[in-house]
Amino acid sequence: MQDLLQQLLNGLSQGSIYALIAVGYTMIYGIIQLINFAHGDVIMVGAYVALGAALMGFGFIPSLLMAMIACAILGVVIERVAYRKVRPVSRLAALTSAIGVSLFLEYIMMYFLGADIRTYPPGILVGRTYSLGGVLITNKDLLVLGTTLVLVVILQYIIFRTRTGKAMRAVSYDGQAAQLMGVNVNNTVAITFFIGSAMAAAAGILYGIYFNSVQPLMGLMPGLKAFIAAVLGGIGSIPGAMLGGILLGMTESLVAGFGGSMYRDAVAFIILILILLIKPTGLLGKGVQEKV
Amino acid sequence: MGGVAPLLQLDDLHVHYGAIWALKGINLTVGEGEIVSLIGANGAGKSTTLRAISGVVTASSGRICFHEEDITKVPAHDIVKKGIAQVPEGRRVFANLSVLENLEMGAYIRRDTKGIKQDLEDVLDRFPRLRERIGQVAGTLSGGEQQMLAIGRALMTRPKLMLLDEPSMGLAPLLVKEIFSIIEEINREGTTILLVEQNARMALQIADRAYVLETGRIVLDGPAKELARQEEVKKAYLGG
Ligand SMILES: Nc1ncnc2c1ncn2[C@@H]1O[C@H](COP(=O)(O)OP(=O)(O)OP(=O)(O)O)[C@@H](O)[C@H]1O
Ligand SMILES: [Mg+2]
C-alpha cells in the first residue's frame, strides 16, 4: 500500500511536468492544427536559461521567470520566422519546418554549450525529504506540484476568464469568423505561442531539477511523452492535456515501480497506440465538431 | 440618393481565388439607411462580394469605399472597427463558446463597458430565446437559434452597415418571416443593410433596391419593386 502511494506520488510529480508541456502542445495544435515538433526543444532552452540564471546566483523563482520570458519570446520568434509563411501552404510543410526548428535548436545548443550533462547548482533547492506515514515526499516533489498548480490556475484564468482567452478559443474554432469580430488572428496565434512556450520553459526547469540533468537532447523524451499525453486527453483540449499528463506520469511510475522500469517508455507508446485505436479523439476530445 | 455620396461603394471590383475568377468587375452602391439586396444563383459570387467588403478575401483590382474612405486594403479585423459587420453564410457561431461568450465576441473591439451592457440587454430583449440559453454552448443551439445568435453577435459590434449572407438558409417558413421582420426592424433603428439571399421573393419584398448577380457580373439592378415585376427576374429567381 505504501509502495503504491509512493509510486502514485512520483507519478503525480512527473505527470505534472508532462501536463505543463502537453498544455502547450494542445494549445498550439488547437489554434493552428500544427504538431509543434520544436516544443520539446523549447523545454530544453528553458532549462538552460534557468541554469544560466541559477549559476549567476539567482534563486528558483527568478530563474523560472527568466526562463519563461526567454522561451515565450523564443516561441513567438519561431512562429513568426518558421511557421507563419508556410502554414497557409500546407500542413506538411509546416510540420517539416517544425522538425527543422527542433533540430536547429538541439544542434545550436550542442555547438555552443557542448553535449555534457549539466546540473543545477545545489543552492537552487536544498534537498529535503519528509515522511508522511511512510511515504517519502521530497521538496522536489513539492516544488514541481506547487509550481504546476500555480501555473495551471493562471492558465485556466487566462483562457476562460479574459478577453484574450476568449479570442484564442474563438480563433481555434473558426479563425475567419473571429476576424469578422475584429480579432487579429496573427496576434492571437503569437499570444498562444507566447503562453505555450512559457509553460514549456517552466516544465524545463522543473524537469532539470527533478532529474538533476540538463543537456541539449533532454527535451526529446518529455516532448514525445507530452505529445502522447495531449493525444490521450484529446488534442486541442486543455483540461484533456492536464489529465493526460497526470495519467501518463502515474502509469509510467506504476510500471516502473512494479518491476518494469525497462519497459516504462514502451508502455507510454503502447498507451498511445491503444488510445488511437479505441478512441481516436482522446479522453476529453470533442471529435470533429459539426459546423451547421 | 441625390447628390449624397453612398455609404458603401464598389468600383469595378475583381476577385480571384487562384485561377478562379469569381468577381468580374462589380459596381454597386448602398446608400445610408437603405436595404439593398443582392440575389443570384449558386456560385454567382454573392458571398465573395460580402467577403471582399469584410476584407476576408482581397480584391485583385477595383475599389471598395465606405464613408468615402478607400477600405480595399484594410485588413479584416480593422474593417469591423469601421462599422461593417457581417453575418456570414452558415452562421459560423463559435460552437465551443457559450451564447453569452459569442455575444461578447461581437463586442470584442469595444471598450465601452456600459454601452456593451446596454447592447447586450437589447439583443437579449430582441431574441428572448437567446436569453433563456445564455449559458449554453452555442453548438447545441438549433439552426434558427444559431442564426439569431449570429445576428445578435453582429449587432454587438454596433455596425453602421450590416452584411447578411443568406440568413434564411435552412429555416422553417415561419422562422424565415421572423428573421426578415427582425432585419427590417434593425434597419428602421438606423442600420443600413446589404442582404444576400436565395429567397429572392422575400428579399425583394423588404429591399429598397436590388442587384442581380450572374457568374461574377451584375446583370440587373434597380428598385426592388420594379425588379420583382420584371419577367426575366420572375422566371429565373421567383419561380415563374
Ligand atoms: N475559397 C474558394 N476557393 C476557390 N473558389 C472559390 C472559393 N470560394 C468561392 N469560390 C468560387 O467562387 C465562385 C463564387 O462563389 P460564392 O461563394 O461567392 O458564390 P455564391 O453566390 O455565394 O453562391 P451560393 O449561393 O451557393 O452561396 C464560385 O464559382 C465558387 O466555386
Ligand atoms: Mg454564398
Side-chain angles (χ1 to χ4, degrees):
Chain A
M1 188 61 201
Q2 263 175 22
D3 261 8
L4 183 69
L5 283 178
Q6 185 72 57
Q7 295 308 338
L8 287 179
L9 173 72
N10 295 348
L12 187 62
S13 296
Q14 208 168 323
S16 311
I17 299 178
Y18 291 154
L20 279 182
I21 311 169
V23 158
Y25 258 119
T26 226
M27 284 170 72
I28 290 170
Y29 182 86
I31 209 148
I32 57 172
Q33 284 75 51
L34 168 74
I35 305 294
N36 179 18
F37 255 96
H39 196 63
D41 303 292
V42 175
I43 301 168
M44 175 271 294
V45 174
Y48 272 105
V49 173
L51 177 66
L55 288 175
M56 284 192 290
F58 287 102
F60 174 74
I61 291 179
S63 304
L64 172 76
L65 292 179
M66 280 186 244
M68 286 177 77
I69 292 168
C71 285
I73 295 169
L74 175 67
V76 172
V77 171
I78 291 174
E79 191 274 326
R80 188 67 245 259
V81 173
Y83 303 155
R84 189 171 292 181
K85 282 279 188 313
V86 288
R87 246 190 312 123
V89 179
S90 81
R91 278 207 208 178
L92 194 60
L95 191 65
T96 312
S97 187
I99 294 171
V101 171
S102 166
L103 292 171
F104 174 78
L105 290 176
E106 286 164 14
Y107 288 96
I108 198 115
M109 285 310 237
M110 239 180 242
Y111 182 80
F112 284 111
L113 299 172
D116 321 338
I117 295 180
R118 293 160 195 264
T119 57
Y120 285 99
I124 200 162
L125 188 74
V126 181
R128 277 206 194 86
T129 305
Y130 312 91
S131 175
L132 211 82
V135 178
L136 300 180
I137 301 178
T138 64
N139 53 354
K140 279 184 184 177
D141 289 312
L142 297 177
L143 186 76
V144 168
L145 295 177
T147 309
T148 304
L149 191 68
V150 169
L151 290 178
V152 162
V153 168
I154 294 174
L155 182 72
Q156 284 291 99
Y157 180 81
I158 294 175
I159 305 274
F160 292 102
R161 292 275 175 276
T162 67
R163 178 172 172 272
T164 305
K166 215 182 303 155
M168 287 165 66
R169 285 181 291 141
V171 170
S172 79
Y173 186 76
D174 186 338
Q176 215 174 68
Q179 273 187 318
L180 292 177
M181 303 298 117
V183 177
N184 183 329
V185 171
N186 281 339
N187 287 355
T188 309
V189 170
I191 292 169
T192 307
F193 272 84
F194 188 90
I195 297 174
S197 304
M199 294 285 156
I205 178 171
L206 293 176
Y207 196 84
I209 291 177
Y210 199 77
F211 294 102
N212 212 18
S213 105
V214 176
Q215 44 99 359
L217 300 181
M218 68 181 279
L220 273 181
M221 226 12 160
L224 276 176
K225 299 274 182 64
F227 172 60
I228 294 173
V231 175
L232 169 60
I235 192 125
S237 155
I238 291 174
M242 293 176 195
L243 179 68
I246 305 274
L247 279 182
L248 186 66
M250 288 194 165
T251 314
E252 279 190 1
S253 169
L254 288 178
V255 172
F258 295 101
S261 50
M262 285 173 61
Y263 310 114
R264 208 185 59 180
D265 293 342
V267 166
F269 293 99
I270 289 171
I271 290 179
L272 174 70
I273 294 167
L274 285 181
I275 296 159
L276 288 178
L277 289 175
I278 298 166
K279 197 165 186 296
T281 54
L283 296 174
L284 304 183
K286 299 249 169 47
V288 185
Q289 287 236 5
E290 217 175 309
K291 294 192 190 180
V292 188
Chain B
M1 286 176 292
V4 189
L7 182 64
L8 177 78
Q9 181 162 8
L10 310 188
D11 278 330
D12 194 28
L13 188 71
H14 291 255
V15 171
H16 289 82
Y17 294 105
I20 294 169
W21 191 9
L23 295 187
K24 305 169 182 168
I26 302 280
N27 293 294
L28 176 153
T29 61
V30 181
E32 186 126 33
E34 276 190 308
I35 298 183
V36 172
S37 5
L38 185 58
I39 59 178
N42 291 118
K46 306 180 296 294
S47 299
T48 302
T49 308
L50 297 195
R51 279 186 218 127
I53 297 169
S54 283
V56 180
V57 299
T58 36
S60 21
S61 69
R63 245 162 46 112
I64 303 169
C65 290
F66 184 65
H67 272 308
E68 295 182 72
E69 180 194 350
D70 187 340
I71 58 162
T72 321
K73 294 276 181 306
V74 176
H77 58 263
D78 288 329
I79 294 281
V80 203
K81 294 180 196 147
K82 306 259 178 218
I84 302 179
Q86 183 176 159
V87 181
E89 189 171 18
R91 296 129 199 174
R92 311 270 292 259
V93 297
F94 302 111
N96 57 336
L97 268 55
S98 71
V99 168
L100 178 63
E101 286 175 327
N102 267 275
L103 294 172
E104 287 169 349
M105 278 309 294
Y108 180 80
I109 51 167
R110 295 171 57 185
R111 297 286 186 178
D112 57 322
T113 322
K114 268 208 190 113
I116 294 174
K117 233 177 162 170
Q118 184 55 52
D119 288 354
L120 183 64
E121 281 308 307
D122 291 350
V123 167
L124 294 175
D125 287 341
R126 202 188 292 273
F127 302 110
R129 287 215 250 170
L130 294 183
R131 191 190 289 280
E132 290 163 26
R133 293 165 176 74
I134 190 96
Q136 201 171 315
V137 168
T140 61
L141 298 179
S142 76
E145 288 156 3
Q146 289 193 8
Q147 189 63 63
M148 293 173 188
L149 182 55
I151 294 175
R153 187 177 64 173
L155 281 172
M156 290 299 293
T157 70
R158 253 201 199 171
K160 294 190 195 88
L161 171 66
M162 192 187 270
L163 315 173
L164 291 123
D165 198 342
E166 301 200 33
S168 76
M169 201 201 325
L171 302 186
L174 212 61
L175 207 51
V176 173
K177 272 211 172 115
E178 194 181 328
I179 293 282
F180 273 86
S181 75
I182 286 166
I183 294 170
E184 283 186 287
E185 203 177 288
I186 292 170
N187 175 250
R188 270 198 304 275
E189 288 162 16
T191 307
T192 306
I193 305 277
L194 177 55
L195 172 66
V196 160
E197 259 303 334
Q198 291 279 344
N199 190 335
R201 188 180 307 277
M202 292 289 279
L204 292 178
Q205 253 172 43
I206 70 164
D208 300 302
R209 290 184 307 115
Y211 291 82
V212 179
L213 200 56
E214 239 169 55
T215 56
R217 288 197 175 86
I218 304 264
V219 291
L220 275 173
D221 71 88
K225 302 280 167 313
E226 278 173 34
L227 280 184
R229 279 196 300 268
Q230 284 189 23
E231 278 311 314
E232 22 189 341
V233 176
K234 274 190 192 168
K235 242 193 267 158
Y237 304 104
L238 301 175

